[in-house]
Coordinates of all heavy atoms in Angstrom, one line a residue:
N1405 N 0.6 18.9 -5.0 CA -0.2 18.6 -3.9 C -0.7 17.1 -3.9 O -0.7 16.5 -5.0 CB -1.3 19.6 -3.7 CG -2.4 19.5 -4.7 OD1 -2.7 18.4 -5.2 ND2 -3.1 20.6 -5.0
Y1406 N -1.1 16.6 -2.8 CA -1.5 15.2 -2.7 C -2.7 14.9 -3.5 O -2.8 13.8 -4.1 CB -1.7 14.8 -1.3 CG -0.4 14.6 -0.5 CD1 -0.1 15.3 0.6 CD2 0.6 13.7 -0.9 CE1 1.1 15.1 1.3 CE2 1.7 13.5 -0.2 CZ 2.0 14.2 0.9 OH 3.1 14.0 1.6
E1407 N -3.7 15.8 -3.6 CA -4.9 15.5 -4.3 C -4.6 15.3 -5.8 O -5.2 14.4 -6.4 CB -5.9 16.6 -4.1 CG -6.5 16.6 -2.7 CD -5.6 17.3 -1.6 OE1 -4.7 18.1 -2.0 OE2 -5.8 17.1 -0.4
Q1408 N -3.8 16.2 -6.3 CA -3.5 16.1 -7.8 C -2.6 14.8 -8.0 O -2.9 14.1 -9.0 CB -2.7 17.3 -8.3 CG -2.4 17.2 -9.8 CD -3.7 17.1 -10.6 OE1 -4.6 17.9 -10.4 NE2 -3.7 16.2 -11.5
A1409 N -1.7 14.5 -7.2 CA -0.9 13.3 -7.3 C -1.8 12.1 -7.2 O -1.6 11.1 -8.0 CB 0.2 13.3 -6.3
L1410 N -2.7 12.1 -6.3 CA -3.6 11.0 -6.1 C -4.4 10.8 -7.4 O -4.6 9.7 -7.9 CB -4.5 11.3 -5.0 CG -5.5 10.2 -4.5 CD1 -4.8 9.0 -4.0 CD2 -6.4 10.7 -3.5
Q1411 N -4.9 11.9 -8.0 CA -5.7 11.7 -9.2 C -4.9 11.3 -10.4 O -5.3 10.4 -11.2 CB -6.4 13.1 -9.6 CG -7.4 13.0 -10.7 CD -8.5 12.0 -10.4 OE1 -9.1 12.0 -9.3 NE2 -8.7 11.0 -11.3
D1412 N -3.7 11.7 -10.5 CA -2.8 11.3 -11.5 C -2.5 9.8 -11.4 O -2.5 9.0 -12.4 CB -1.4 12.0 -11.5 CG -1.6 13.5 -11.9 OD1 -2.6 13.9 -12.5 OD2 -0.6 14.2 -11.6
I1413 N -2.3 9.3 -10.2 CA -2.0 7.9 -10.0 C -3.2 7.0 -10.3 O -3.2 6.0 -10.9 CB -1.4 7.6 -8.6 CG1 -0.1 8.3 -8.5 CG2 -1.3 6.1 -8.3 CD1 0.5 8.3 -7.0
I1414 N -4.4 7.5 -9.9 CA -5.6 6.8 -10.2 C -5.8 6.7 -11.7 O -6.2 5.6 -12.2 CB -6.8 7.5 -9.5 CG1 -6.8 7.2 -8.0 CG2 -8.2 6.9 -10.0 CD1 -7.8 8.1 -7.2
N1415 N -5.5 7.7 -12.4 CA -5.7 7.7 -13.9 C -4.7 6.7 -14.5 O -5.1 5.9 -15.4 CB -5.4 9.1 -14.5 CG -6.5 10.1 -14.1 OD1 -7.6 9.7 -13.8 ND2 -6.2 11.3 -14.2
I1416 N -3.5 6.6 -14.0 CA -2.6 5.6 -14.5 C -3.1 4.2 -14.2 O -3.1 3.3 -15.1 CB -1.2 5.8 -13.8 CG1 -0.5 7.1 -14.3 CG2 -0.3 4.6 -14.1 CD1 0.7 7.5 -13.5
I1417 N -3.6 3.9 -13.0 CA -4.1 2.6 -12.7 C -5.3 2.2 -13.5 O -5.4 1.1 -13.9 CB -4.4 2.5 -11.2 CG1 -3.0 2.6 -10.4 CG2 -5.1 1.2 -10.8 CD1 -3.2 2.7 -8.9
E1418 N -6.2 3.2 -13.7 CA -7.4 2.9 -14.5 C -7.0 2.5 -15.9 O -7.7 1.7 -16.6 CB -8.3 4.1 -14.5 CG -9.0 4.3 -13.2 CD -9.8 5.5 -13.2 OE1 -9.7 6.4 -14.1 OE2 -10.6 5.7 -12.2
N1419 N -5.9 3.0 -16.4 CA -5.4 2.7 -17.8 C -4.6 1.4 -17.8 O -4.3 0.9 -18.9 CB -4.7 3.8 -18.4 CG -5.6 5.0 -18.6 OD1 -6.7 4.9 -19.0 ND2 -5.1 6.2 -18.4
D1420 N -4.0 1.0 -16.7 CA -3.2 -0.2 -16.7 C -3.3 -0.9 -15.3 O -2.7 -0.5 -14.3 CB -1.7 0.2 -16.9 CG -0.8 -1.1 -17.0 OD1 -1.3 -2.2 -16.8 OD2 0.4 -0.9 -17.2
T1421 N -4.2 -1.9 -15.2 CA -4.5 -2.5 -13.9 C -3.4 -3.3 -13.4 O -3.4 -3.7 -12.2 CB -5.8 -3.4 -14.0 OG1 -5.5 -4.4 -15.0 CG2 -7.0 -2.6 -14.4
I1422 N -2.3 -3.6 -14.1 CA -1.2 -4.4 -13.7 C 0.0 -3.6 -13.2 O 1.0 -4.0 -12.8 CB -0.8 -5.4 -14.8 CG1 -2.0 -6.2 -15.2 CG2 0.4 -6.3 -14.4 CD1 -1.7 -7.1 -16.4
D1423 N -0.1 -2.2 -13.3 CA 1.0 -1.4 -12.9 C 1.1 -1.3 -11.4 O 0.6 -0.5 -10.7 CB 0.8 0.0 -13.5 CG 2.0 0.9 -13.4 OD1 2.9 0.5 -12.6 OD2 2.1 1.9 -14.1
T1424 N 1.9 -2.3 -10.9 CA 2.1 -2.4 -9.4 C 2.8 -1.2 -8.8 O 2.5 -0.7 -7.7 CB 3.0 -3.7 -9.1 OG1 2.3 -4.8 -9.7 CG2 3.1 -3.9 -7.6
I1425 N 3.7 -0.6 -9.5 CA 4.5 0.6 -9.0 C 3.5 1.7 -8.8 O 3.5 2.4 -7.8 CB 5.6 1.0 -9.9 CG1 6.7 -0.1 -9.9 CG2 6.2 2.3 -9.5 CD1 7.7 0.1 -11.0
A1426 N 2.6 1.9 -9.7 CA 1.6 3.0 -9.6 C 0.7 2.7 -8.4 O 0.3 3.6 -7.6 CB 0.7 3.1 -10.8
K1427 N 0.3 1.4 -8.2 CA -0.5 1.0 -7.1 C 0.2 1.3 -5.7 O -0.4 1.8 -4.8 CB -0.9 -0.4 -7.1 CG -2.0 -0.7 -8.2 CD -2.3 -2.2 -8.3 CE -3.3 -2.4 -9.4 NZ -3.7 -3.9 -9.4
I1428 N 1.5 1.0 -5.7 CA 2.3 1.3 -4.5 C 2.3 2.8 -4.2 O 2.1 3.2 -3.1 CB 3.7 0.7 -4.6 CG1 3.7 -0.8 -4.6 CG2 4.6 1.3 -3.5 CD1 3.4 -1.5 -3.3
K1429 N 2.5 3.6 -5.2 CA 2.5 5.0 -5.1 C 1.2 5.5 -4.6 O 1.1 6.5 -3.8 CB 2.9 5.7 -6.4 CG 4.4 5.5 -6.7 CD 4.8 6.2 -8.0 CE 6.3 6.0 -8.2 NZ 6.7 6.7 -9.4
L1430 N 0.1 4.9 -5.1 CA -1.2 5.4 -4.7 C -1.4 5.0 -3.2 O -1.9 5.8 -2.4 CB -2.3 4.7 -5.5 CG -3.7 5.0 -5.1 CD1 -4.0 6.5 -5.2 CD2 -4.7 4.2 -6.1
A1431 N -1.0 3.8 -2.8 CA -1.1 3.4 -1.4 C -0.3 4.4 -0.5 O -0.8 4.8 0.6 CB -0.6 2.0 -1.2
I1432 N 0.9 4.8 -0.9 CA 1.7 5.7 -0.1 C 1.0 7.1 -0.1 O 1.0 7.7 1.0 CB 3.1 5.8 -0.7 CG1 3.8 4.5 -0.5 CG2 3.9 7.0 -0.1 CD1 5.1 4.3 -1.3
A1433 N 0.4 7.5 -1.2 CA -0.3 8.8 -1.2 C -1.5 8.7 -0.2 O -1.7 9.7 0.6 CB -0.9 9.1 -2.6
Y1434 N -2.2 7.6 -0.2 CA -3.3 7.4 0.8 C -2.7 7.5 2.3 O -3.4 8.1 3.1 CB -4.0 6.1 0.6 CG -5.0 6.1 -0.5 CD1 -5.1 5.1 -1.4 CD2 -5.9 7.2 -0.7 CE1 -6.0 5.1 -2.4 CE2 -6.9 7.2 -1.7 CZ -6.9 6.1 -2.6 OH -7.8 6.1 -3.6
L1435 N -1.6 6.9 2.5 CA -1.0 7.0 3.8 C -0.7 8.4 4.2 O -0.9 8.9 5.3 CB 0.3 6.2 3.9 CG 0.2 4.7 4.1 CD1 1.6 4.1 4.1 CD2 -0.5 4.4 5.4
N1436 N -0.1 9.2 3.2 CA 0.3 10.6 3.5 C -1.0 11.4 3.7 O -0.9 12.5 4.3 CB 1.1 11.1 2.4 CG 2.5 10.5 2.4 OD1 3.0 10.2 3.4 ND2 3.1 10.4 1.2
M1437 N -2.1 11.0 3.2 CA -3.4 11.7 3.4 C -4.2 11.2 4.6 O -5.3 11.5 4.8 CB -4.2 11.6 2.1 CG -3.5 12.3 0.9 SD -4.4 12.1 -0.6 CE -5.9 13.1 -0.2
N1438 N -3.5 10.3 5.4 CA -4.1 9.7 6.6 C -5.3 8.9 6.2 O -6.4 9.0 6.9 CB -4.4 10.8 7.7 CG -4.5 10.1 9.0 OD1 -3.9 9.1 9.3 ND2 -5.4 10.7 9.9
M1439 N -5.2 8.1 5.2 CA -6.3 7.2 4.7 C -5.8 5.8 4.7 O -5.7 5.1 3.6 CB -6.8 7.7 3.3 CG -7.4 9.1 3.3 SD -7.7 9.7 1.6 CE -9.0 8.5 1.1
P1440 N -5.4 5.2 5.9 CA -4.8 3.9 5.9 C -5.7 2.8 5.4 O -5.2 1.8 4.8 CB -4.5 3.7 7.4 CG -5.4 4.6 8.1 CD -5.6 5.8 7.2
D1441 N -7.1 2.9 5.5 CA -8.0 1.9 5.0 C -7.8 1.7 3.5 O -7.7 0.6 3.0 CB -9.4 2.2 5.3 CG -9.8 2.2 6.8 OD1 -9.0 1.6 7.6 OD2 -10.8 2.8 7.2
S1442 N -7.7 2.8 2.8 CA -7.5 2.8 1.4 C -6.2 2.2 1.0 O -6.1 1.4 0.0 CB -7.7 4.2 0.8 OG -9.0 4.7 1.0
A1443 N -5.2 2.6 1.8 CA -3.8 2.0 1.5 C -3.8 0.5 1.7 O -3.2 -0.2 0.9 CB -2.8 2.7 2.4
I1444 N -4.5 0.0 2.7 CA -4.5 -1.4 3.0 C -5.3 -2.1 1.9 O -4.9 -3.2 1.5 CB -5.1 -1.7 4.4 CG1 -4.1 -1.3 5.4 CG2 -5.5 -3.2 4.6 CD1 -4.7 -1.2 6.9
T1445 N -6.4 -1.6 1.4 CA -7.1 -2.2 0.3 C -6.2 -2.4 -0.9 O -6.2 -3.5 -1.5 CB -8.3 -1.3 -0.1 OG1 -9.2 -1.2 1.0 CG2 -9.1 -1.9 -1.3
I1446 N -5.4 -1.4 -1.2 CA -4.5 -1.5 -2.4 C -3.4 -2.5 -2.1 O -3.1 -3.4 -3.0 CB -4.0 -0.1 -2.7 CG1 -5.1 0.7 -3.3 CG2 -2.8 -0.2 -3.7 CD1 -4.7 2.2 -3.4
T1447 N -2.8 -2.5 -1.0 CA -1.7 -3.4 -0.7 C -2.2 -4.8 -0.6 O -1.5 -5.7 -1.1 CB -0.9 -3.1 0.6 OG1 -1.8 -3.0 1.7 CG2 -0.2 -1.7 0.4
N1448 N -3.4 -5.0 -0.1 CA -3.9 -6.4 -0.1 C -4.2 -6.9 -1.5 O -4.0 -8.1 -1.8 CB -5.2 -6.4 0.8 CG -4.9 -6.4 2.2 OD1 -3.8 -6.7 2.7 ND2 -5.9 -6.0 3.0
D1449 N -4.7 -6.0 -2.4 CA -4.9 -6.3 -3.8 C -3.6 -6.7 -4.4 O -3.6 -7.7 -5.2 CB -5.5 -5.1 -4.5 CG -5.8 -5.4 -5.9 OD1 -6.6 -6.4 -6.2 OD2 -5.4 -4.7 -6.8
I1450 N -2.5 -6.0 -4.2 CA -1.2 -6.4 -4.8 C -0.8 -7.7 -4.2 O -0.3 -8.6 -5.0 CB -0.2 -5.3 -4.4 CG1 -0.5 -4.0 -5.1 CG2 1.2 -5.8 -4.8 CD1 0.3 -2.8 -4.6
L1451 N -0.9 -7.9 -2.9 CA -0.5 -9.2 -2.3 C -1.3 -10.4 -2.7 O -0.8 -11.5 -2.7 CB -0.4 -9.0 -0.8 CG 0.6 -8.0 -0.3 CD1 0.5 -7.7 1.1 CD2 2.1 -8.5 -0.6
K1452 N -2.5 -10.2 -3.2 CA -3.3 -11.3 -3.7 C -2.7 -11.9 -4.9 O -2.7 -13.1 -5.2 CB -4.7 -10.9 -4.0 CG -5.6 -10.7 -2.8 CD -7.0 -10.3 -3.2 CE -7.8 -9.9 -2.0 NZ -9.1 -9.3 -2.3
S1453 N -2.1 -11.0 -5.8 CA -1.5 -11.5 -7.0 C 0.0 -11.8 -6.9 O 0.6 -12.5 -7.7 CB -1.8 -10.5 -8.1 OG -1.2 -9.2 -7.8
N1454 N 0.6 -11.2 -5.9 CA 2.1 -11.4 -5.7 C 2.4 -11.3 -4.2 O 2.7 -10.2 -3.7 CB 2.9 -10.4 -6.5 CG 4.4 -10.6 -6.3 OD1 4.8 -11.5 -5.7 ND2 5.1 -9.7 -6.9
K1455 N 2.3 -12.4 -3.5 CA 2.6 -12.4 -2.1 C 4.0 -12.2 -1.7 O 4.4 -12.0 -0.6 CB 2.1 -13.7 -1.4 CG 2.9 -14.9 -1.9 CD 2.3 -16.2 -1.2 CE 3.1 -17.4 -1.7 NZ 2.6 -18.6 -1.0
H1456 N 4.9 -12.1 -2.7 CA 6.3 -11.9 -2.5 C 6.7 -10.4 -2.7 O 7.9 -10.1 -2.8 CB 7.2 -12.8 -3.4 CG 6.9 -14.2 -3.1 ND1 7.3 -14.9 -2.0 CD2 6.3 -15.2 -3.9 CE1 6.9 -16.1 -2.0 NE2 6.3 -16.3 -3.2
N1457 N 5.8 -9.5 -2.8 CA 6.1 -8.1 -3.0 C 6.4 -7.5 -1.6 O 5.5 -7.1 -0.9 CB 4.9 -7.4 -3.7 CG 5.2 -6.0 -4.1 OD1 5.8 -5.2 -3.3 ND2 5.0 -5.6 -5.3
Y1458 N 7.7 -7.4 -1.3 CA 8.0 -6.9 0.0 C 7.7 -5.4 0.2 O 7.4 -5.0 1.3 CB 9.5 -7.1 0.3 CG 10.5 -6.3 -0.6 CD1 10.9 -5.0 -0.1 CD2 10.9 -6.7 -1.8 CE1 11.8 -4.3 -0.9 CE2 11.8 -6.0 -2.6 CZ 12.2 -4.7 -2.1 OH 13.0 -4.0 -2.9
V1459 N 7.6 -4.6 -0.8 CA 7.2 -3.2 -0.7 C 5.7 -3.1 -0.3 O 5.4 -2.3 0.6 CB 7.5 -2.4 -2.0 CG1 7.0 -1.0 -1.8 CG2 8.9 -2.5 -2.3
A1460 N 4.9 -3.9 -0.9 CA 3.5 -4.0 -0.5 C 3.3 -4.4 1.0 O 2.5 -3.8 1.7 CB 2.7 -4.9 -1.4
H1461 N 4.1 -5.4 1.4 CA 4.0 -5.8 2.8 C 4.5 -4.6 3.7 O 3.8 -4.4 4.8 CB 5.0 -7.0 3.1 CG 4.4 -8.3 2.6 ND1 3.4 -8.9 3.2 CD2 4.9 -9.1 1.6 CE1 3.1 -10.1 2.6 NE2 4.0 -10.2 1.6
D1462 N 5.5 -3.9 3.3 CA 6.0 -2.8 4.1 C 5.0 -1.7 4.2 O 4.7 -1.2 5.3 CB 7.3 -2.3 3.5 CG 8.0 -1.3 4.4 OD1 8.2 -1.6 5.6 OD2 8.4 -0.2 3.9
V1463 N 4.4 -1.3 3.1 CA 3.4 -0.2 3.1 C 2.2 -0.7 3.9 O 1.6 0.1 4.6 CB 3.1 0.2 1.7 CG1 1.9 1.2 1.7 CG2 4.3 0.8 1.0
N1464 N 1.8 -1.9 3.8 CA 0.7 -2.5 4.5 C 1.0 -2.3 6.0 O 0.1 -1.9 6.8 CB 0.5 -3.9 4.1 CG -0.8 -4.5 4.6 OD1 -1.9 -3.9 4.4 ND2 -0.8 -5.5 5.4
G1465 N 2.2 -2.7 6.4 CA 2.6 -2.5 7.8 C 2.5 -1.1 8.3 O 2.0 -0.8 9.4
L1466 N 2.9 -0.2 7.5 CA 2.8 1.3 7.9 C 1.4 1.7 8.1 O 1.0 2.4 9.0 CB 3.5 2.1 6.8 CG 5.0 2.0 6.7 CD1 5.5 2.7 5.5 CD2 5.7 2.5 8.0
A1467 N 0.5 1.2 7.2 CA -0.9 1.5 7.3 C -1.5 0.9 8.5 O -2.3 1.6 9.2 CB -1.7 1.1 6.0
L1468 N -1.1 -0.3 8.8 CA -1.7 -0.9 10.0 C -1.2 -0.2 11.3 O -2.0 -0.1 12.2 CB -1.2 -2.4 10.0 CG -1.9 -3.3 9.0 CD1 -1.2 -4.6 8.9 CD2 -3.4 -3.5 9.4
M1469 N 0.0 0.3 11.3 CA 0.5 1.1 12.4 C -0.4 2.3 12.6 O -0.7 2.7 13.7 CB 2.0 1.5 12.2 CG 2.9 0.3 12.5 SD 4.6 0.8 12.4 CE 4.7 2.0 13.7
K1470 N -0.7 3.0 11.5 CA -1.6 4.2 11.6 C -2.9 3.8 12.2 O -3.6 4.7 12.8 CB -1.8 4.8 10.2 CG -0.6 5.6 9.8 CD -1.0 6.5 8.6 CE 0.2 7.4 8.2 NZ 0.0 8.8 8.6
Q1471 N -3.4 2.6 12.0 CA -4.6 2.1 12.6 C -4.4 1.6 14.0 O -5.4 1.1 14.6 CB -5.2 1.0 11.7 CG -5.7 1.5 10.4 CD -6.3 0.3 9.6 OE1 -5.9 -0.8 9.7 NE2 -7.3 0.7 8.8
K1472 N -3.2 1.7 14.5 CA -2.8 1.2 15.8 C -3.0 -0.4 15.9 O -3.3 -0.9 17.0 CB -3.6 1.9 16.9 CG -3.3 3.4 16.9 CD -3.9 4.1 18.1 CE -3.8 5.5 18.1 NZ -2.6 6.2 17.8
K1473 N -2.9 -1.1 14.8 CA -2.9 -2.5 14.8 C -1.5 -3.0 14.8 O -1.0 -3.5 13.7 CB -3.7 -3.0 13.6 CG -5.2 -2.6 13.6 CD -5.9 -3.1 12.4 CE -7.4 -2.7 12.5 NZ -8.1 -3.1 11.3
Y1474 N -0.8 -2.9 15.9 CA 0.6 -3.1 16.0 C 1.0 -4.6 15.7 O 2.0 -4.8 15.0 CB 1.2 -2.6 17.3 CG 0.9 -1.1 17.4 CD1 0.0 -0.6 18.5 CD2 1.4 -0.2 16.6 CE1 -0.2 0.7 18.6 CE2 1.2 1.2 16.7 CZ 0.3 1.6 17.7 OH 0.1 2.9 17.9
R1475 N 0.3 -5.5 16.2 CA 0.6 -6.9 16.0 C 0.6 -7.3 14.5 O 1.4 -8.0 14.0 CB -0.3 -7.9 16.8 CG 0.0 -7.8 18.3 CD -0.9 -8.7 19.1 NE -0.9 -8.3 20.5 CZ -0.6 -9.2 21.4 NH1 -0.3 -10.4 21.2 NH2 -0.6 -8.8 22.7
E1476 N -0.5 -6.8 13.9 CA -0.7 -7.1 12.4 C 0.4 -6.4 11.7 O 1.0 -6.9 10.7 CB -2.0 -6.7 12.0 CG -3.2 -7.5 12.5 CD -4.5 -7.0 12.1 OE1 -4.7 -6.7 10.9 OE2 -5.4 -6.8 13.0
A1477 N 0.8 -5.2 12.1 CA 1.9 -4.4 11.4 C 3.2 -5.2 11.5 O 3.9 -5.3 10.5 CB 2.0 -3.0 12.0
I1478 N 3.5 -5.7 12.7 CA 4.7 -6.4 12.9 C 4.8 -7.7 12.0 O 5.8 -8.0 11.4 CB 4.9 -6.9 14.4 CG1 5.2 -5.6 15.3 CG2 6.0 -7.9 14.6 CD1 5.1 -5.9 16.7
Q1479 N 3.6 -8.3 11.9 CA 3.6 -9.5 11.0 C 3.8 -9.1 9.5 O 4.5 -9.7 8.8 CB 2.2 -10.2 11.1 CG 2.1 -11.4 10.2 CD 3.1 -12.5 10.6 OE1 3.2 -12.9 11.7 NE2 3.9 -12.9 9.6
S1480 N 3.3 -7.9 9.1 CA 3.5 -7.4 7.8 C 4.9 -7.1 7.5 O 5.5 -7.4 6.5 CB 2.6 -6.2 7.6 OG 2.0 -6.2 6.3
F1481 N 5.6 -6.5 8.5 CA 7.0 -6.2 8.4 C 7.8 -7.5 8.4 O 8.8 -7.6 7.6 CB 7.5 -5.3 9.5 CG 6.9 -3.9 9.5 CD1 6.4 -3.3 10.7 CD2 6.8 -3.2 8.3 CE1 5.8 -2.0 10.6 CE2 6.2 -1.9 8.3 CZ 5.7 -1.3 9.5
S1482 N 7.5 -8.4 9.2 CA 8.2 -9.7 9.1 C 8.0 -10.4 7.8 O 9.0 -11.0 7.2 CB 7.6 -10.7 10.2 OG 7.9 -10.2 11.5
D1483 N 6.8 -10.3 7.2 CA 6.6 -10.9 5.9 C 7.5 -10.2 4.8 O 8.0 -10.8 4.0 CB 5.1 -10.8 5.5 CG 4.2 -11.7 6.3 OD1 4.7 -12.6 7.0 OD2 3.0 -11.4 6.3
A1484 N 7.6 -8.9 5.0 CA 8.4 -8.1 4.0 C 9.9 -8.6 4.1 O 10.5 -8.8 3.1 CB 8.3 -6.6 4.3
L1485 N 10.4 -8.8 5.3 CA 11.7 -9.2 5.5 C 11.9 -10.6 5.0 O 13.0 -10.9 4.4 CB 12.1 -9.1 7.0 CG 12.3 -7.7 7.6 CD1 12.5 -7.8 9.1 CD2 13.5 -7.0 6.9
S1486 N 11.0 -11.5 5.2 CA 11.1 -12.9 4.8 C 11.1 -13.1 3.3 O 11.7 -14.0 2.8 CB 10.1 -13.8 5.4 OG 8.8 -13.5 4.9
V1487 N 10.5 -12.2 2.5 CA 10.4 -12.3 1.1 C 11.5 -11.5 0.4 O 11.7 -11.6 -0.8 CB 9.0 -12.0 0.5 CG1 8.0 -12.9 1.0 CG2 8.6 -10.5 0.7
H1488 N 12.1 -10.6 1.1 CA 13.2 -9.7 0.5 C 14.5 -10.3 0.4 O 15.1 -10.9 1.2 CB 13.2 -8.3 1.2 CG 14.1 -7.4 0.6 ND1 14.2 -7.2 -0.8 CD2 15.0 -6.5 1.1 CE1 15.1 -6.3 -1.1 NE2 15.7 -5.9 0.0

């Protein structure tokens, strides 16, 4: 279930703050739980340290779409394409 997966991923991140893959998985779990604000917080954190992470841009765009921020989502998807 999503709650257990979420807790597992949070535990991984707490033990290794540089684990980008775990952070991406956490952001996706938040999206699946309809928590786009939390997903955006995580993707923004990833992009602060690596603006060329196209997966973070993509997940960020999906979260922005859930918030109905379509122009920002399009920009995020464009950023993903430009760095991939």
Side-chain angles (χ1 to χ4, degrees):
N1405 70 32
Y1406 284 121
E1407 289 80 18
Q1408 182 59 47
L1410 186 65
Q1411 190 57 50
D1412 291 344
I1413 295 168
I1414 289 170
N1415 290 339
I1416 291 169
I1417 291 171
E1418 286 174 351
N1419 293 322
D1420 184 0
T1421 58
I1422 302 176
D1423 192 343
T1424 303
I1425 294 170
K1427 288 181 181 180
I1428 292 288
K1429 288 181 178 183
L1430 178 59
I1432 292 168
Y1434 281 135
L1435 277 179
N1436 289 330
M1437 295 174 68
N1438 201 29
M1439 299 171 65
D1441 292 341
S1442 297
I1444 289 170
T1445 298
I1446 291 171
T1447 55
N1448 284 341
D1449 181 55
I1450 293 167
L1451 293 168
K1452 282 180 190 172
S1453 62
N1454 181 3
K1455 66 181 180 178
H1456 299 291
N1457 187 311
Y1458 68 91
V1459 178
H1461 283 294
D1462 190 50
V1463 174
N1464 192 57
L1466 293 171
L1468 289 165
M1469 285 184 61
K1470 282 194 178 256
Q1471 293 180 328
K1472 300 186 186 317
K1473 295 180 180 177
Y1474 301 115
R1475 288 179 196 236
E1476 292 175 51
I1478 290 169
Q1479 183 59 56
S1480 220
F1481 294 134
S1482 293
D1483 292 343
L1485 290 171
S1486 70
V1487 299
H1488 184 43

